[in-house]
Amino acid sequence: MHQTRSEVIKALPLARKGTKYVARAMRNSSNSVPLVVAIRDMLKLANTSKEVKGMIHNKKIKINGNLAKNLTDPICLFCIIDADKTYLLTMLPTGRFSFVETEETDRKLKITGKRLVRNGKLQYSLHDGTNIASEKNYFVGDTLILNHENKTIRYIKFDKEKDVFVVSGNYIGKSGNIQNISENKITVKFDNEDVVLSKAQVMVI
């Protein structure tokens, strides 16, 4: 799966000039990094897509604890990739994706939807495209922390005094603390100012 360089989302830190076509993530292409871009262009662990294929074949790459299978496997915000080291995908205040070294093994995922399914269980849709079923009642906007088997380790309720990470808008890539919640609007305290944002713009962490 490929796209022209001009179609690449602004969040991907790629040069404006280069090959005409660039890999597109097989899922969540509007908010994720294709594996080949992560390994070759961002982490600089390979020089070519062929070398990345070799790393996949030799089982040297894991995404969220599972072996990578394809050059276009998607890596979403707060997902974890294991290659030479362990990295967490985050977002800079410039609005560009970036990898940082981490010791974390579990990942944080925002609940973006929920519905009732069979046997009285609830199915939750998460921001990276994952769906999980649970008997516990969480709310859209809360954050679940999952292990490699997609089992819920704990959850963070969307509430006052909780820390948040801004995922869109003018304050993207910044962390703050919820001071007030009013319907779909929240007041977030940053270092030197209070800002009103929508709930959709942040993720509790």
Side-chain angles (χ1 to χ4, degrees), residues 101-116:
E101 289 185 33
T102 183
E103 295 182 355
E104 295 184 27
T105 56
D106 303 321
R107 71 193 196 277
K108 302 179 181 71
L109 296 163
K110 180 178 180 178
I111 299 175
T112 57
K114 84 179 203 182
R115 66 187 183 93
L116 187 65

Side-chain angles (χ1 to χ4, degrees), residues 48-200:
T48 64
S49 59
K50 184 176 181 180
E51 290 181 5
V52 181
K53 280 185 178 180
M55 294 174 70
I56 294 171
H57 178 75
N58 291 320
K59 301 181 179 181
K60 292 184 176 181
I61 307 173
K62 291 183 179 180
I63 302 173
N64 300 322
N66 300 303
L67 288 172
K69 297 179 180 179
N70 196 290
L71 289 175
T72 55
D73 283 348
I75 305 168
C76 295
L77 186 65
F78 294 128
C79 284
I80 295 170
I81 182 171
D82 291 287
D84 62 326
K85 300 176 183 177
T86 301
Y87 301 93
L88 175 75
L89 183 65
T90 186
M91 183 75 74
L92 299 174
T94 58
R96 294 292 187 94
F97 282 124
S98 178
F99 285 101
V100 295
E101 289 185 33
T102 183
E103 295 182 355
E104 295 184 27
T105 56
D106 303 321
R107 71 193 196 277
K108 302 179 181 71
L109 296 163
K110 180 178 180 178
I111 299 175
T112 57
K114 84 179 203 182
R115 66 187 183 93
L116 187 65
V117 292
R118 291 182 300 177
N119 302 320
K121 287 189 174 182
L122 293 162
Q123 179 174 289
Y124 296 96
S125 301
L126 308 178
H127 82 260
D128 72 340
T130 300
N131 292 303
I132 64 166
S134 174
E135 295 178 349
K136 294 186 177 180
N137 186 25
Y138 305 120
F139 296 91
V140 172
D142 291 348
T143 291
L144 298 183
I145 299 178
L146 305 186
N147 63 13
H148 294 337
E149 288 75 41
N150 282 343
K151 302 296 184 181
T152 302
I153 303 301
R154 64 186 180 93
Y155 91 104
I156 307 172
K157 183 175 177 57
F158 196 105
D159 208 350
K160 288 178 63 175
E161 303 299 327
K162 295 296 176 66
D163 291 330
V164 294
F165 184 86
V166 183
V167 298
S168 66
N170 293 336
Y171 294 85
I172 191 169
K174 292 187 175 182
S175 297
N177 186 269
I178 299 176
Q179 301 297 297
N180 187 55
I181 300 175
S182 178
E183 296 183 352
N184 290 322
K185 296 291 184 179
I186 62 172
T187 301
V188 178
K189 183 177 183 61
F190 295 108
D191 290 336
N192 55 3
E193 62 179 330
D194 289 356
V195 178
V196 176
L197 301 172
S198 72
K199 287 184 177 180

